Amino acid sequence: MPVLSVTPDPASLTLTLVADLAPAPAGAWQLWADPRRLERWWGPAGWPATVTAHELRPGGSVHYVMHGPEDRESAGWWRILAVEHAALLELEDRFVDAHGEPNPGTPAVGMTFHLHPTSTGTRVTMINTFSSTAEMEDLARRGLAEGLTEVLGQMDAALAD
C-alpha cells in the first residue's frame, strides 16, 4: 500500500499518515480484526509481532510482542477506546515490560485509524496524537514517521492471502 502523505502538525500535536488499500473497508478491516493478519504488518521489518491477546472492543486490549535481532523483544499493548466495524479504530499504544506494566520513560501514543471507501478500495487515515511537543519531537528524532510508513507499507502483503 503506498503511503500517500505523512503530515506532522506540531500545533495540534499530531502526525497523520494517509494510504490506500485495494479491498473495500470490510476486507481492509481484517488487518485489525484478525490477530494473525495484524501480526503480519504491525511492527517494522525485522521485528515480527506475535499477538498474545486480542479483544477488539471499547475497553478491550490487544497485547503483542515484537521479536527483533539477537533475541531482543519489545512488548506493547493497545488499550481500545472506540471501534466502529470497518470504519474506525481508536486506541492508545504503549510499550510495556515483561509483566505488562508500562515502561517508564516511554510515552503512550494515541492512534486513530479511519477507513473510508473509495472508488478503488479503502483510504486509511492514521492519526497519531502526542501529549506534548517534547514527546512528539523526541519520537520524530527516533524515526517514527519513517517507521510508521514502513509498517503501513506491509498491509498489502498481510491482505494478500
Side-chain angles (χ1 to χ4, degrees), residues 32-68:
W32 294 270
D34 177 349
R36 303 298 74 90
R37 288 197 191 273
L38 179 60
E39 289 173 341
R40 295 190 57 204
W41 68 271
W42 186 249
W47 284 81
T50 300
V51 174
T52 59
H54 187 270
E55 192 176 11
L56 203 62
R57 62 165 185 78
S61 61
V62 172
H63 297 256
Y64 61 90
V65 179
M66 294 184 293
H67 310 278

PDB file of all heavy atoms in Angstrom, residues 32-68:
ATOM      1  N   TRP A  32      -7.016  -5.426  11.287  1.00  0.00           N
ATOM      2  CA  TRP A  32      -7.095  -5.196  12.729  1.00  0.00           C
ATOM      3  C   TRP A  32      -7.898  -6.302  13.421  1.00  0.00           C
ATOM      4  O   TRP A  32      -7.552  -6.710  14.518  1.00  0.00           O
ATOM      5  CB  TRP A  32      -7.740  -3.837  13.026  1.00  0.00           C
ATOM      6  CG  TRP A  32      -6.909  -2.703  12.563  1.00  0.00           C
ATOM      7  CD1 TRP A  32      -5.935  -2.049  13.274  1.00  0.00           C
ATOM      8  CD2 TRP A  32      -6.940  -2.075  11.285  1.00  0.00           C
ATOM      9  NE1 TRP A  32      -5.365  -1.061  12.507  1.00  0.00           N
ATOM     10  CE2 TRP A  32      -5.966  -1.051  11.277  1.00  0.00           C
ATOM     11  CE3 TRP A  32      -7.705  -2.269  10.119  1.00  0.00           C
ATOM     12  CZ2 TRP A  32      -5.734  -0.243  10.181  1.00  0.00           C
ATOM     13  CZ3 TRP A  32      -7.472  -1.454   9.023  1.00  0.00           C
ATOM     14  CH2 TRP A  32      -6.490  -0.464   9.059  1.00  0.00           C
ATOM     15  N   ALA A  33      -8.939  -6.787  12.781  1.00  0.00           N
ATOM     16  CA  ALA A  33      -9.852  -7.742  13.413  1.00  0.00           C
ATOM     17  C   ALA A  33      -9.258  -9.141  13.541  1.00  0.00           C
ATOM     18  O   ALA A  33      -9.620  -9.883  14.454  1.00  0.00           O
ATOM     19  CB  ALA A  33     -11.167  -7.800  12.631  1.00  0.00           C
ATOM     20  N   ASP A  34      -8.375  -9.521  12.646  1.00  0.00           N
ATOM     21  CA  ASP A  34      -7.778 -10.858  12.647  1.00  0.00           C
ATOM     22  C   ASP A  34      -6.368 -10.759  13.234  1.00  0.00           C
ATOM     23  O   ASP A  34      -5.477 -10.163  12.626  1.00  0.00           O
ATOM     24  CB  ASP A  34      -7.731 -11.384  11.213  1.00  0.00           C
ATOM     25  CG  ASP A  34      -7.069 -12.746  11.095  1.00  0.00           C
ATOM     26  OD1 ASP A  34      -6.443 -13.235  12.063  1.00  0.00           O
ATOM     27  OD2 ASP A  34      -7.158 -13.333   9.995  1.00  0.00           O
ATOM     28  N   PRO A  35      -6.135 -11.322  14.422  1.00  0.00           N
ATOM     29  CA  PRO A  35      -4.815 -11.186  15.050  1.00  0.00           C
ATOM     30  C   PRO A  35      -3.678 -11.743  14.198  1.00  0.00           C
ATOM     31  O   PRO A  35      -2.558 -11.231  14.249  1.00  0.00           O
ATOM     32  CB  PRO A  35      -4.944 -11.930  16.376  1.00  0.00           C
ATOM     33  CG  PRO A  35      -6.199 -12.711  16.297  1.00  0.00           C
ATOM     34  CD  PRO A  35      -7.062 -12.101  15.255  1.00  0.00           C
ATOM     35  N   ARG A  36      -3.931 -12.784  13.395  1.00  0.00           N
ATOM     36  CA  ARG A  36      -2.865 -13.333  12.540  1.00  0.00           C
ATOM     37  C   ARG A  36      -2.500 -12.355  11.433  1.00  0.00           C
ATOM     38  O   ARG A  36      -1.342 -12.238  11.057  1.00  0.00           O
ATOM     39  CB  ARG A  36      -3.279 -14.679  11.933  1.00  0.00           C
ATOM     40  CG  ARG A  36      -3.655 -15.752  12.946  1.00  0.00           C
ATOM     41  CD  ARG A  36      -2.546 -16.193  13.918  1.00  0.00           C
ATOM     42  NE  ARG A  36      -2.156 -15.325  14.980  1.00  0.00           N
ATOM     43  CZ  ARG A  36      -2.674 -15.291  16.223  1.00  0.00           C
ATOM     44  NH1 ARG A  36      -3.681 -16.066  16.548  1.00  0.00           N
ATOM     45  NH2 ARG A  36      -2.183 -14.477  17.132  1.00  0.00           N
ATOM     46  N   ARG A  37      -3.470 -11.615  10.907  1.00  0.00           N
ATOM     47  CA  ARG A  37      -3.162 -10.588   9.898  1.00  0.00           C
ATOM     48  C   ARG A  37      -2.455  -9.392  10.559  1.00  0.00           C
ATOM     49  O   ARG A  37      -1.522  -8.837   9.988  1.00  0.00           O
ATOM     50  CB  ARG A  37      -4.415 -10.132   9.183  1.00  0.00           C
ATOM     51  CG  ARG A  37      -4.958 -11.171   8.233  1.00  0.00           C
ATOM     52  CD  ARG A  37      -5.926 -10.560   7.246  1.00  0.00           C
ATOM     53  NE  ARG A  37      -6.628 -11.589   6.524  1.00  0.00           N
ATOM     54  CZ  ARG A  37      -6.189 -12.172   5.418  1.00  0.00           C
ATOM     55  NH1 ARG A  37      -5.047 -11.816   4.908  1.00  0.00           N
ATOM     56  NH2 ARG A  37      -6.914 -13.097   4.824  1.00  0.00           N
ATOM     57  N   LEU A  38      -2.894  -9.027  11.745  1.00  0.00           N
ATOM     58  CA  LEU A  38      -2.262  -7.933  12.472  1.00  0.00           C
ATOM     59  C   LEU A  38      -0.773  -8.227  12.687  1.00  0.00           C
ATOM     60  O   LEU A  38       0.073  -7.349  12.525  1.00  0.00           O
ATOM     61  CB  LEU A  38      -2.979  -7.704  13.808  1.00  0.00           C
ATOM     62  CG  LEU A  38      -2.439  -6.610  14.713  1.00  0.00           C
ATOM     63  CD1 LEU A  38      -2.481  -5.255  14.019  1.00  0.00           C
ATOM     64  CD2 LEU A  38      -3.252  -6.564  16.011  1.00  0.00           C
ATOM     65  N   GLU A  39      -0.457  -9.477  13.002  1.00  0.00           N
ATOM     66  CA  GLU A  39       0.935  -9.864  13.213  1.00  0.00           C
ATOM     67  C   GLU A  39       1.789  -9.649  11.962  1.00  0.00           C
ATOM     68  O   GLU A  39       2.987  -9.413  12.068  1.00  0.00           O
ATOM     69  CB  GLU A  39       1.024 -11.348  13.592  1.00  0.00           C
ATOM     70  CG  GLU A  39       0.512 -11.655  14.959  1.00  0.00           C
ATOM     71  CD  GLU A  39       0.451 -13.143  15.246  1.00  0.00           C
ATOM     72  OE1 GLU A  39       0.467 -13.963  14.304  1.00  0.00           O
ATOM     73  OE2 GLU A  39       0.375 -13.492  16.441  1.00  0.00           O
ATOM     74  N   ARG A  40       1.173  -9.709  10.807  1.00  0.00           N
ATOM     75  CA  ARG A  40       1.916  -9.632   9.548  1.00  0.00           C
ATOM     76  C   ARG A  40       2.302  -8.209   9.159  1.00  0.00           C
ATOM     77  O   ARG A  40       3.145  -8.023   8.279  1.00  0.00           O
ATOM     78  CB  ARG A  40       1.112 -10.291   8.433  1.00  0.00           C
ATOM     79  CG  ARG A  40       0.947 -11.798   8.703  1.00  0.00           C
ATOM     80  CD  ARG A  40       0.376 -12.546   7.570  1.00  0.00           C
ATOM     81  NE  ARG A  40       1.188 -12.376   6.365  1.00  0.00           N
ATOM     82  CZ  ARG A  40       0.693 -12.525   5.155  1.00  0.00           C
ATOM     83  NH1 ARG A  40      -0.570 -12.833   4.981  1.00  0.00           N
ATOM     84  NH2 ARG A  40       1.476 -12.358   4.106  1.00  0.00           N
ATOM     85  N   TRP A  41       1.680  -7.209   9.802  1.00  0.00           N
ATOM     86  CA  TRP A  41       2.048  -5.844   9.425  1.00  0.00           C
ATOM     87  C   TRP A  41       2.431  -4.964  10.608  1.00  0.00           C
ATOM     88  O   TRP A  41       3.133  -3.975  10.430  1.00  0.00           O
ATOM     89  CB  TRP A  41       0.936  -5.167   8.607  1.00  0.00           C
ATOM     90  CG  TRP A  41      -0.323  -4.868   9.360  1.00  0.00           C
ATOM     91  CD1 TRP A  41      -1.398  -5.694   9.523  1.00  0.00           C
ATOM     92  CD2 TRP A  41      -0.654  -3.657  10.038  1.00  0.00           C
ATOM     93  NE1 TRP A  41      -2.361  -5.080  10.273  1.00  0.00           N
ATOM     94  CE2 TRP A  41      -1.938  -3.820  10.598  1.00  0.00           C
ATOM     95  CE3 TRP A  41       0.003  -2.449  10.241  1.00  0.00           C
ATOM     96  CZ2 TRP A  41      -2.561  -2.823  11.350  1.00  0.00           C
ATOM     97  CZ3 TRP A  41      -0.629  -1.450  10.979  1.00  0.00           C
ATOM     98  CH2 TRP A  41      -1.894  -1.656  11.519  1.00  0.00           C
ATOM     99  N   TRP A  42       2.010  -5.300  11.818  1.00  0.00           N
ATOM    100  CA  TRP A  42       2.300  -4.429  12.956  1.00  0.00           C
ATOM    101  C   TRP A  42       3.709  -4.702  13.448  1.00  0.00           C
ATOM    102  O   TRP A  42       3.992  -5.735  14.036  1.00  0.00           O
ATOM    103  CB  TRP A  42       1.281  -4.634  14.071  1.00  0.00           C
ATOM    104  CG  TRP A  42       1.489  -3.653  15.181  1.00  0.00           C
ATOM    105  CD1 TRP A  42       1.935  -3.915  16.438  1.00  0.00           C
ATOM    106  CD2 TRP A  42       1.301  -2.237  15.113  1.00  0.00           C
ATOM    107  NE1 TRP A  42       2.041  -2.754  17.164  1.00  0.00           N
ATOM    108  CE2 TRP A  42       1.650  -1.703  16.369  1.00  0.00           C
ATOM    109  CE3 TRP A  42       0.881  -1.372  14.111  1.00  0.00           C
ATOM    110  CZ2 TRP A  42       1.590  -0.346  16.651  1.00  0.00           C
ATOM    111  CZ3 TRP A  42       0.813  -0.024  14.393  1.00  0.00           C
ATOM    112  CH2 TRP A  42       1.157   0.478  15.654  1.00  0.00           C
ATOM    113  N   GLY A  43       4.585  -3.791  13.237  1.00  0.00           N
ATOM    114  CA  GLY A  43       5.987  -3.912  13.609  1.00  0.00           C
ATOM    115  C   GLY A  43       6.852  -3.696  12.392  1.00  0.00           C
ATOM    116  O   GLY A  43       6.496  -4.091  11.290  1.00  0.00           O
ATOM    117  N   PRO A  44       7.999  -3.050  12.584  1.00  0.00           N
ATOM    118  CA  PRO A  44       8.872  -2.796  11.441  1.00  0.00           C
ATOM    119  C   PRO A  44       9.493  -4.083  10.907  1.00  0.00           C
ATOM    120  O   PRO A  44       9.523  -5.109  11.598  1.00  0.00           O
ATOM    121  CB  PRO A  44       9.932  -1.856  12.024  1.00  0.00           C
ATOM    122  CG  PRO A  44       9.911  -2.101  13.487  1.00  0.00           C
ATOM    123  CD  PRO A  44       8.509  -2.530  13.832  1.00  0.00           C
ATOM    124  N   ALA A  45       9.992  -4.019   9.686  1.00  0.00           N
ATOM    125  CA  ALA A  45      10.676  -5.166   9.092  1.00  0.00           C
ATOM    126  C   ALA A  45      11.791  -5.619  10.029  1.00  0.00           C
ATOM    127  O   ALA A  45      12.502  -4.794  10.611  1.00  0.00           O
ATOM    128  CB  ALA A  45      11.238  -4.788   7.726  1.00  0.00           C
ATOM    129  N   GLY A  46      11.919  -6.910  10.183  1.00  0.00           N
ATOM    130  CA  GLY A  46      12.929  -7.445  11.085  1.00  0.00           C
ATOM    131  C   GLY A  46      12.480  -7.548  12.526  1.00  0.00           C
ATOM    132  O   GLY A  46      13.210  -8.035  13.375  1.00  0.00           O
ATOM    133  N   TRP A  47      11.260  -7.084  12.804  1.00  0.00           N
ATOM    134  CA  TRP A  47      10.690  -7.149  14.146  1.00  0.00           C
ATOM    135  C   TRP A  47       9.269  -7.711  14.055  1.00  0.00           C
ATOM    136  O   TRP A  47       8.298  -7.010  14.336  1.00  0.00           O
ATOM    137  CB  TRP A  47      10.658  -5.768  14.795  1.00  0.00           C
ATOM    138  CG  TRP A  47      11.984  -5.310  15.270  1.00  0.00           C
ATOM    139  CD1 TRP A  47      12.972  -4.743  14.530  1.00  0.00           C
ATOM    140  CD2 TRP A  47      12.475  -5.396  16.610  1.00  0.00           C
ATOM    141  NE1 TRP A  47      14.049  -4.456  15.324  1.00  0.00           N
ATOM    142  CE2 TRP A  47      13.770  -4.845  16.612  1.00  0.00           C
ATOM    143  CE3 TRP A  47      11.942  -5.884  17.804  1.00  0.00           C
ATOM    144  CZ2 TRP A  47      14.554  -4.766  17.753  1.00  0.00           C
ATOM    145  CZ3 TRP A  47      12.717  -5.800  18.954  1.00  0.00           C
ATOM    146  CH2 TRP A  47      14.006  -5.255  18.914  1.00  0.00           C
ATOM    147  N   PRO A  48       9.100  -8.972  13.631  1.00  0.00           N
ATOM    148  CA  PRO A  48       7.747  -9.512  13.502  1.00  0.00           C
ATOM    149  C   PRO A  48       7.036  -9.568  14.854  1.00  0.00           C
ATOM    150  O   PRO A  48       7.659  -9.755  15.891  1.00  0.00           O
ATOM    151  CB  PRO A  48       7.972 -10.911  12.934  1.00  0.00           C
ATOM    152  CG  PRO A  48       9.377 -11.252  13.303  1.00  0.00           C
ATOM    153  CD  PRO A  48      10.137  -9.954  13.335  1.00  0.00           C
ATOM    154  N   ALA A  49       5.736  -9.393  14.799  1.00  0.00           N
ATOM    155  CA  ALA A  49       4.925  -9.354  16.024  1.00  0.00           C
ATOM    156  C   ALA A  49       4.228 -10.685  16.263  1.00  0.00           C
ATOM    157  O   ALA A  49       3.898 -11.411  15.320  1.00  0.00           O
ATOM    158  CB  ALA A  49       3.881  -8.246  15.917  1.00  0.00           C
ATOM    159  N   THR A  50       4.004 -10.979  17.524  1.00  0.00           N
ATOM    160  CA  THR A  50       3.127 -12.065  17.948  1.00  0.00           C
ATOM    161  C   THR A  50       2.057 -11.433  18.818  1.00  0.00           C
ATOM    162  O   THR A  50       2.373 -10.767  19.814  1.00  0.00           O
ATOM    163  CB  THR A  50       3.895 -13.129  18.768  1.00  0.00           C
ATOM    164  OG1 THR A  50       4.942 -13.666  17.961  1.00  0.00           O
ATOM    165  CG2 THR A  50       2.959 -14.238  19.224  1.00  0.00           C
ATOM    166  N   VAL A  51       0.798 -11.607  18.426  1.00  0.00           N
ATOM    167  CA  VAL A  51      -0.315 -11.086  19.226  1.00  0.00           C
ATOM    168  C   VAL A  51      -0.653 -12.140  20.268  1.00  0.00           C
ATOM    169  O   VAL A  51      -0.956 -13.281  19.936  1.00  0.00           O
ATOM    170  CB  VAL A  51      -1.530 -10.751  18.335  1.00  0.00           C
ATOM    171  CG1 VAL A  51      -2.727 -10.349  19.182  1.00  0.00           C
ATOM    172  CG2 VAL A  51      -1.168  -9.642  17.352  1.00  0.00           C
ATOM    173  N   THR A  52      -0.591 -11.756  21.539  1.00  0.00           N
ATOM    174  CA  THR A  52      -0.820 -12.708  22.634  1.00  0.00           C
ATOM    175  C   THR A  52      -2.211 -12.585  23.247  1.00  0.00           C
ATOM    176  O   THR A  52      -2.647 -13.486  23.956  1.00  0.00           O
ATOM    177  CB  THR A  52       0.252 -12.531  23.728  1.00  0.00           C
ATOM    178  OG1 THR A  52       0.194 -11.181  24.221  1.00  0.00           O
ATOM    179  CG2 THR A  52       1.645 -12.810  23.179  1.00  0.00           C
ATOM    180  N   ALA A  53      -2.883 -11.486  23.015  1.00  0.00           N
ATOM    181  CA  ALA A  53      -4.273 -11.289  23.464  1.00  0.00           C
ATOM    182  C   ALA A  53      -4.901 -10.301  22.490  1.00  0.00           C
ATOM    183  O   ALA A  53      -4.240  -9.369  22.026  1.00  0.00           O
ATOM    184  CB  ALA A  53      -4.333 -10.750  24.885  1.00  0.00           C
ATOM    185  N   HIS A  54      -6.179 -10.524  22.182  1.00  0.00           N
ATOM    186  CA  HIS A  54      -6.818  -9.704  21.148  1.00  0.00           C
ATOM    187  C   HIS A  54      -8.305  -9.555  21.475  1.00  0.00           C
ATOM    188  O   HIS A  54      -9.077 -10.477  21.304  1.00  0.00           O
ATOM    189  CB  HIS A  54      -6.636 -10.384  19.788  1.00  0.00           C
ATOM    190  CG  HIS A  54      -7.090  -9.561  18.634  1.00  0.00           C
ATOM    191  ND1 HIS A  54      -8.374  -9.614  18.164  1.00  0.00           N
ATOM    192  CD2 HIS A  54      -6.424  -8.679  17.859  1.00  0.00           C
ATOM    193  CE1 HIS A  54      -8.480  -8.799  17.136  1.00  0.00           C
ATOM    194  NE2 HIS A  54      -7.313  -8.213  16.927  1.00  0.00           N
ATOM    195  N   GLU A  55      -8.664  -8.393  21.990  1.00  0.00           N
ATOM    196  CA  GLU A  55     -10.057  -8.104  22.331  1.00  0.00           C
ATOM    197  C   GLU A  55     -10.392  -6.732  21.744  1.00  0.00           C
ATOM    198  O   GLU A  55     -10.230  -5.699  22.398  1.00  0.00           O
ATOM    199  CB  GLU A  55     -10.228  -8.119  23.845  1.00  0.00           C
ATOM    200  CG  GLU A  55     -11.656  -8.114  24.280  1.00  0.00           C
ATOM    201  CD  GLU A  55     -11.792  -8.232  25.792  1.00  0.00           C
ATOM    202  OE1 GLU A  55     -10.788  -8.111  26.515  1.00  0.00           O
ATOM    203  OE2 GLU A  55     -12.931  -8.430  26.233  1.00  0.00           O
ATOM    204  N   LEU A  56     -10.837  -6.749  20.500  1.00  0.00           N
ATOM    205  CA  LEU A  56     -11.055  -5.519  19.748  1.00  0.00           C
ATOM    206  C   LEU A  56     -12.465  -4.997  20.007  1.00  0.00           C
ATOM    207  O   LEU A  56     -13.378  -5.180  19.208  1.00  0.00           O
ATOM    208  CB  LEU A  56     -10.838  -5.784  18.253  1.00  0.00           C
ATOM    209  CG  LEU A  56     -10.501  -4.583  17.398  1.00  0.00           C
ATOM    210  CD1 LEU A  56      -9.202  -3.941  17.840  1.00  0.00           C
ATOM    211  CD2 LEU A  56     -10.414  -4.990  15.936  1.00  0.00           C
ATOM    212  N   ARG A  57     -12.615  -4.347  21.157  1.00  0.00           N
ATOM    213  CA  ARG A  57     -13.879  -3.722  21.561  1.00  0.00           C
ATOM    214  C   ARG A  57     -13.536  -2.586  22.501  1.00  0.00           C
ATOM    215  O   ARG A  57     -12.479  -2.602  23.136  1.00  0.00           O
ATOM    216  CB  ARG A  57     -14.799  -4.725  22.254  1.00  0.00           C
ATOM    217  CG  ARG A  57     -14.213  -5.274  23.531  1.00  0.00           C
ATOM    218  CD  ARG A  57     -15.235  -5.987  24.405  1.00  0.00           C
ATOM    219  NE  ARG A  57     -14.629  -6.392  25.659  1.00  0.00           N
ATOM    220  CZ  ARG A  57     -14.398  -5.578  26.695  1.00  0.00           C
ATOM    221  NH1 ARG A  57     -14.721  -4.316  26.651  1.00  0.00           N
ATOM    222  NH2 ARG A  57     -13.848  -6.045  27.800  1.00  0.00           N
ATOM    223  N   PRO A  58     -14.392  -1.572  22.606  1.00  0.00           N
ATOM    224  CA  PRO A  58     -14.117  -0.496  23.564  1.00  0.00           C
ATOM    225  C   PRO A  58     -13.889  -1.072  24.963  1.00  0.00           C
ATOM    226  O   PRO A  58     -14.660  -1.911  25.427  1.00  0.00           O
ATOM    227  CB  PRO A  58     -15.367   0.370  23.504  1.00  0.00           C
ATOM    228  CG  PRO A  58     -15.925   0.119  22.135  1.00  0.00           C
ATOM    229  CD  PRO A  58     -15.638  -1.343  21.865  1.00  0.00           C
ATOM    230  N   GLY A  59     -12.802  -0.669  25.589  1.00  0.00           N
ATOM    231  CA  GLY A  59     -12.438  -1.200  26.902  1.00  0.00           C
ATOM    232  C   GLY A  59     -11.571  -2.434  26.818  1.00  0.00           C
ATOM    233  O   GLY A  59     -11.011  -2.861  27.823  1.00  0.00           O
ATOM    234  N   GLY A  60     -11.448  -3.027  25.634  1.00  0.00           N
ATOM    235  CA  GLY A  60     -10.617  -4.208  25.452  1.00  0.00           C
ATOM    236  C   GLY A  60      -9.166  -3.826  25.229  1.00  0.00           C
ATOM    237  O   GLY A  60      -8.784  -2.656  25.306  1.00  0.00           O
ATOM    238  N   SER A  61      -8.354  -4.835  24.951  1.00  0.00           N
ATOM    239  CA  SER A  61      -6.945  -4.572  24.707  1.00  0.00           C
ATOM    240  C   SER A  61      -6.382  -5.593  23.729  1.00  0.00           C
ATOM    241  O   SER A  61      -6.926  -6.675  23.544  1.00  0.00           O
ATOM    242  CB  SER A  61      -6.147  -4.593  26.011  1.00  0.00           C
ATOM    243  OG  SER A  61      -6.230  -5.866  26.622  1.00  0.00           O
ATOM    244  N   VAL A  62      -5.299  -5.202  23.114  1.00  0.00           N
ATOM    245  CA  VAL A  62      -4.512  -6.074  22.252  1.00  0.00           C
ATOM    246  C   VAL A  62      -3.098  -6.053  22.809  1.00  0.00           C
ATOM    247  O   VAL A  62      -2.516  -4.982  22.993  1.00  0.00           O
ATOM    248  CB  VAL A  62      -4.528  -5.583  20.781  1.00  0.00           C
ATOM    249  CG1 VAL A  62      -3.562  -6.387  19.933  1.00  0.00           C
ATOM    250  CG2 VAL A  62      -5.940  -5.622  20.215  1.00  0.00           C
ATOM    251  N   HIS A  63      -2.571  -7.233  23.119  1.00  0.00           N
ATOM    252  CA  HIS A  63      -1.206  -7.353  23.628  1.00  0.00           C
ATOM    253  C   HIS A  63      -0.353  -7.991  22.543  1.00  0.00           C
ATOM    254  O   HIS A  63      -0.793  -8.928  21.888  1.00  0.00           O
ATOM    255  CB  HIS A  63      -1.169  -8.231  24.886  1.00  0.00           C
ATOM    256  CG  HIS A  63      -1.948  -7.656  26.019  1.00  0.00           C
ATOM    257  ND1 HIS A  63      -1.348  -7.050  27.093  1.00  0.00           N
ATOM    258  CD2 HIS A  63      -3.288  -7.581  26.246  1.00  0.00           C
ATOM    259  CE1 HIS A  63      -2.285  -6.620  27.929  1.00  0.00           C
ATOM    260  NE2 HIS A  63      -3.465  -6.933  27.430  1.00  0.00           N
ATOM    261  N   TYR A  64       0.868  -7.483  22.376  1.00  0.00           N
ATOM    262  CA  TYR A  64       1.744  -8.014  21.343  1.00  0.00           C
ATOM    263  C   TYR A  64       3.191  -7.975  21.817  1.00  0.00           C
ATOM    264  O   TYR A  64       3.551  -7.234  22.726  1.00  0.00           O
ATOM    265  CB  TYR A  64       1.591  -7.225  20.031  1.00  0.00           C
ATOM    266  CG  TYR A  64       1.948  -5.765  20.145  1.00  0.00           C
ATOM    267  CD1 TYR A  64       3.251  -5.327  19.910  1.00  0.00           C
ATOM    268  CD2 TYR A  64       0.994  -4.810  20.491  1.00  0.00           C
ATOM    269  CE1 TYR A  64       3.588  -3.984  20.014  1.00  0.00           C
ATOM    270  CE2 TYR A  64       1.317  -3.468  20.593  1.00  0.00           C
ATOM    271  CZ  TYR A  64       2.619  -3.060  20.357  1.00  0.00           C
ATOM    272  OH  TYR A  64       2.955  -1.728  20.471  1.00  0.00           O
ATOM    273  N   VAL A  65       4.002  -8.816  21.172  1.00  0.00           N
ATOM    274  CA  VAL A  65       5.444  -8.832  21.391  1.00  0.00           C
ATOM    275  C   VAL A  65       6.093  -8.795  20.015  1.00  0.00           C
ATOM    276  O   VAL A  65       5.753  -9.596  19.144  1.00  0.00           O
ATOM    277  CB  VAL A  65       5.908 -10.087  22.156  1.00  0.00           C
ATOM    278  CG1 VAL A  65       7.424 -10.082  22.334  1.00  0.00           C
ATOM    279  CG2 VAL A  65       5.210 -10.217  23.488  1.00  0.00           C
ATOM    280  N   MET A  66       7.007  -7.845  19.823  1.00  0.00           N
ATOM    281  CA  MET A  66       7.784  -7.792  18.588  1.00  0.00           C
ATOM    282  C   MET A  66       9.129  -8.454  18.856  1.00  0.00           C
ATOM    283  O   MET A  66       9.751  -8.212  19.892  1.00  0.00           O
ATOM    284  CB  MET A  66       7.952  -6.343  18.119  1.00  0.00           C
ATOM    285  CG  MET A  66       6.638  -5.715  17.704  1.00  0.00           C
ATOM    286  SD  MET A  66       6.794  -4.050  17.037  1.00  0.00           S
ATOM    287  CE  MET A  66       7.322  -3.135  18.478  1.00  0.00           C
ATOM    288  N   HIS A  67       9.546  -9.306  17.922  1.00  0.00           N
ATOM    289  CA  HIS A  67      10.768 -10.093  18.072  1.00  0.00           C
ATOM    290  C   HIS A  67      11.827  -9.556  17.127  1.00  0.00           C
ATOM    291  O   HIS A  67      11.660  -9.587  15.907  1.00  0.00           O
ATOM    292  CB  HIS A  67      10.483 -11.562  17.763  1.00  0.00           C
ATOM    293  CG  HIS A  67       9.295 -12.088  18.502  1.00  0.00           C
ATOM    294  ND1 HIS A  67       9.372 -12.523  19.802  1.00  0.00           N
ATOM    295  CD2 HIS A  67       7.989 -12.198  18.141  1.00  0.00           C
ATOM    296  CE1 HIS A  67       8.163 -12.901  20.205  1.00  0.00           C
ATOM    297  NE2 HIS A  67       7.311 -12.707  19.211  1.00  0.00           N
ATOM    298  N   GLY A  68      12.946  -9.068  17.711  1.00  0.00           N
ATOM    299  CA  GLY A  68      13.993  -8.464  16.914  1.00  0.00           C
ATOM    300  C   GLY A  68      15.233  -9.320  16.814  1.00  0.00           C
ATOM    301  O   GLY A  68      15.274 -10.454  17.292  1.00  0.00           O
TER     302      GLY A  68
END
